[in-house]
Amino acid sequence: MPLDKTERPVRRAQARRASGAVALLAALVLLGGFLPLYWVYLLATAAISALVARSIGLVTNRVGIITLCQMSFAAIGGWVVSWLALAWPGAHFPVLVLLGGLAAGPVGLVIGAVTTRIRGAELAVVTLGFAAALDLVLRQWGFPGVGTGTPVLPSAPFSDPRWFFALAWTLLILLHLCLTALSRTRLGSGWSVLRASERSAAALGVRVVAAKSAAFGAGALVAGVAGGLLAGQYGLLTTAVFTPLSSMVHLATAVLCGASVLGGAVLAGLFTVLVPEALRRLGLPLDLGNIIFALGAFDVLRRGNGGIWEQLSAGLQDRAFRDVRAVCQPTARSRGVEGASECGAVARPPSRPPALQARGLGVRLGGHRVLDSVEVVVASGEVHALIGPNGAGKSTFIDAVTGFLPAYEGTIRVGGAPIDPLSASARALGGVRRTFQQSRVNGSSTVDEYLRLAAGSRSPSSIPLVRELFGLPEGRLPIRLMDAGSRRILEVAGALAARPRLLLLDEPAAGLDDAVSRELAAVLRGIPAEFDCAVLVIEHDMEFVRAAASRTTVLDEGRIVGSGPTSEILRDPRVIAAYLGKGGGA
Ligand SMILES: Nc1ncnc2c1ncn2[C@@H]1O[C@H](COP(=O)(O)OP(=O)(O)OP(=O)(O)O)[C@@H](O)[C@H]1O
């Protein structure tokens, strides 16, 4: 199948990265052939620690979940390899190690699935609880072979330390490539958005439970492989290697080094091994290393801009884009959409059901009635504005329609079909897309990565269309280099790239200068004709509303006070009293 223009540079970058990883591996294997055996042993341990760091880099650095049980997954891998080595003498060691990883993966999946409603510090405590419980169980059971003094003996040639070294680094690089490939799938590309905001992820159609569970599962598999390698390296395992405390030390090192990327994971592996080695040679207490890692990780978390390697690559990226345009310049003329219709309505067959129909919508939040028997109808092919003073309930209305409220009264139909039982991500996948008042796009993604995730696999062809319409900057630009207004426009472009049936925009023009705001209004007015999609837009700027919307509904204190053609509504004395009279920003 021919690749579209946005895919080609991505494939080229992937190929470059994969060949870089293979070249690194070849260099390491050569190095292992020449180094003294003591250093070969240390560097094999560094590769195993790098695997643990990479697994934490996925769950914590990438998805934003603090995990304190990664060494417990390693313990599961180590236990399974020790048991299999006894039960299946002569089995190929790499096969045993992979089986150790495959045993740990499902445990991670289950932990991810049962903890999806728990967040932040509470989730970290749950993972610590799991680590403590497994530690107790392992102390009781012990590792297979320890009782009888039968060590795990890796099969030839991996019984040779140099071959073992090569195996450890090969597995690190192969698993890194697998994680990179996984992060490009629909499931994995949601990981970085989850870190920025679960609400944004759900609004893009990311299935939050599945994405979080998959991250835990993949991380556990990688840590399980590390545990299996430790079984081969030590021969007999003890619980002291896998304590909750050692999970915390690995977490600190992974966060400090920026282990969401291979370079950061390798750095973390090297730190874990070389810092204690240096302290030992200097005659200093080994615990000093852990204190340094913990303080460094604390500083990284406090500043929130990534670990050492992540900052390094972000700095290089920012320098490369120093002179590149980083703002969005929507222009309706680019596709002639400004002439779609003076009033924004597109002629439709009369039989077509409304794009949105909210009947008797009531919402109570914190004991306060925020929406009361609200009725809103948005015809198909229409741009409809929802206006009202601050606190009128406009954003709450969008939250209800897009499935972001735990409960509401009344019914909501989209294209004539009720959507009330559907979750936020199911509504997004069904064609109901939204943007937020405060943009929560992940700044480390590039413009193209965000558009591909937002568009989904069903409509990648719409990406060039929205790119042109909204005047988006160069696709490889990291989003953190864009200002708040441009990020909001990018969110609108992403939502539209999914070719929704209904698009709900929460103050898309906030903070834009007048000229950009006017162009954006003209672009919105043309969306129904261009994309066969109805739009509901919240806005406080009445010039924008006049230019973009054919019909307008006014909310005040959770009740509808008027609805009709925009020009009439903005002249209605009741509306002027309820909204414009209160200094609503006309
Ligand atoms: N989680 C919540 N708990 C309690 N009250 C809430 C909650 N969320 C919103 N509210 C209240 O609901 C009311 C409506 O809020 P909403 O954000 O929908 O208004 P809005 O019309 O969008 O305002 P603005 O134009 O300022 O964005 C406000 O009084 C707000 O304080």
Side-chain angles (χ1 to χ4, degrees):
M1 204 171 65
L3 297 174
D4 76 45
K5 267 201 267 178
T6 62
E7 281 288 320
R8 267 188 230 124
V10 177
R11 293 286 166 95
R12 273 201 297 270
Q14 279 169 1
R16 263 201 311 274
R17 261 182 242 137
S19 38
V22 172
L24 171 70
L25 180 61
L28 280 164
V29 171
L30 273 178
L31 191 70
F34 293 108
L35 283 174
L37 274 184
Y38 179 68
W39 283 99
V40 167
Y41 178 87
L42 276 188
L43 290 178
T45 312
I48 298 172
S49 297
L51 274 167
V52 177
R54 186 67 183 86
S55 86
I56 297 171
L58 169 61
V59 181
T60 300
N61 302 45
R62 177 62 63 93
V63 184
I65 300 168
I66 302 272
T67 166
L68 298 172
C69 63
Q70 256 11 52
M71 283 310 279
S72 308
F73 297 130
I76 294 171
W79 197 96
V80 168
V81 169
S82 304
W83 183 78
L84 285 173
L86 282 181
W88 188 11
H92 286 299
F93 182 64
V95 174
L96 298 188
V97 169
L98 289 178
L99 289 175
L102 289 175
V107 181
L109 267 181
V110 171
I111 292 199
V114 297
T115 57
T116 41
R117 299 215 178 277
I118 310 171
R119 289 178 185 85
E122 286 166 15
L123 180 50
V125 170
V126 171
T127 60
L128 181 62
F130 167 69
L134 194 83
D135 189 48
L136 282 178
V137 170
L138 286 177
R139 277 171 203 272
Q140 202 72 30
W141 286 11
F143 279 90
V146 174
T148 55
T150 319
V152 176
L153 297 173
S155 58
F158 303 105
S159 46
D160 178 331
R162 294 189 196 279
W163 276 95
F164 188 90
F165 165 93
L167 175 67
W169 283 97
T170 305
L171 285 174
L172 169 65
I173 287 172
L174 284 181
L175 286 172
H176 164 75
L177 292 175
C178 290
L179 288 183
T180 307
L182 192 60
S183 71
R184 299 203 193 290
T185 61
R186 172 101 197 126
L187 195 69
S189 55
W191 289 338
S192 47
V193 198
L194 273 179
R195 185 190 165 91
S197 152
E198 278 188 24
R199 282 165 66 87
S200 294
L204 292 171
V206 172
R207 296 197 185 278
V208 174
V209 175
K212 275 171 102 173
S213 310
F216 256 111
L221 188 148
V222 174
V225 166
L229 284 168
L230 281 175
Q233 196 183 37
Y234 292 171
L236 292 173
L237 289 174
T238 66
T239 49
V241 182
F242 305 104
T243 58
L245 199 63
S246 78
S247 283
M248 288 184 198
V249 172
H250 279 283
L251 173 73
T253 323
V255 169
L256 170 66
C257 296
S260 62
V261 283
L262 180 64
V266 170
L267 190 65
L270 292 173
F271 271 21
T272 314
V273 170
L274 299 183
V275 170
E277 177 67 14
L279 291 172
R280 189 179 63 77
R281 289 180 184 223
L282 292 169
L284 293 169
L286 298 192
D287 286 342
L288 201 58
N290 295 342
I291 295 171
I292 296 169
F293 297 152
L295 289 175
F298 176 72
D299 187 51
V300 166
L301 290 175
R302 186 181 61 81
R303 282 183 288 109
N305 54 354
I308 296 171
W309 201 276
E310 289 156 346
Q311 278 186 47
L312 215 66
S313 41
L316 288 175
Q317 217 176 15
D318 293 358
R319 273 183 60 167
F321 287 99
R322 209 172 22 205
D323 301 322
V324 171
R325 176 177 66 85
V327 291
C328 295
Q329 292 171 336
T331 156
R333 282 177 305 280
S334 70
R335 296 190 58 81
V337 293
E338 86 286 8
S341 159
E342 251 315 291
C343 63
V346 175
R348 298 280 158 207
S351 58
R352 211 161 165 197
L356 172 67
Q357 210 173 2
R359 289 267 173 255
L361 197 65
V363 174
R364 190 173 272 281
L365 291 175
H368 173 64
R369 192 136 194 94
V370 177
L371 292 179
D372 192 6
S373 308
V374 167
E375 311 269 328
V376 173
V377 177
V378 177
S380 74
E382 174 179 86
V383 179
H384 194 115
L386 183 62
I387 62 170
N390 294 115
K394 304 180 296 295
S395 299
T396 307
F397 178 79
I398 288 193
D399 283 349
V401 172
T402 49
F404 282 90
L405 293 178
Y408 56 78
E409 298 150 20
T411 56
I412 298 170
R413 288 171 183 272
V414 170
I419 58 166
D420 306 307
L422 302 181
S423 67
S425 54
R427 291 183 199 200
L429 292 170
V432 180
R433 292 287 173 132
R434 70 169 295 176
T435 63
F436 293 89
Q437 222 174 74
Q438 246 106 46
S439 164
R440 293 196 185 94
V441 179
N442 173 27
S444 62
S445 298
T446 65
V447 169
D448 272 350
E449 281 166 355
Y450 179 76
L451 287 177
R452 271 197 300 274
L453 171 67
S457 52
R458 278 176 299 175
S459 46
S461 59
S462 52
I463 291 178
L465 212 66
V466 298
R467 168 173 280 300
E468 186 183 345
L469 203 52
F470 291 93
L472 302 184
E474 134 120 64
R476 287 170 302 159
L477 184 85
I479 295 172
R480 65 175 168 274
L481 298 180
M482 296 167 72
D483 61 41
S486 290
R487 286 187 196 200
R488 216 173 281 122
I489 293 177
L490 175 65
E491 273 194 83
V492 177
L496 196 58
R499 291 207 166 266
R501 287 187 284 170
L502 175 66
L503 180 61
L504 302 114
L505 307 176
D506 200 341
E507 301 191 27
L512 298 182
D513 71 38
D514 287 350
V516 179
S517 176
R518 268 199 307 277
E519 282 297 337
L520 183 64
V523 168
L524 292 194
R525 198 176 62 206
I527 283 177
E530 181 91 359
F531 289 83
D532 191 18
C533 154
V535 180
L536 180 110
V537 57
I538 295 177
E539 201 35 78
H540 285 288
D541 175 350
M542 291 307 120
E543 284 315 309
F544 185 96
V545 169
R546 227 174 243 116
S550 57
R551 295 180 70 81
T552 293
T553 293
V554 189
L555 258 183
D556 188 23
E557 294 178 355
R559 291 198 179 85
I560 302 289
V561 292
S563 187
T566 299
S567 50
E568 284 175 26
I569 282 292
L570 296 186
R571 284 198 303 265
D572 187 328
R574 283 175 312 154
V575 173
I576 294 169
Y579 183 32
L580 307 181
K582 290 183 188 176

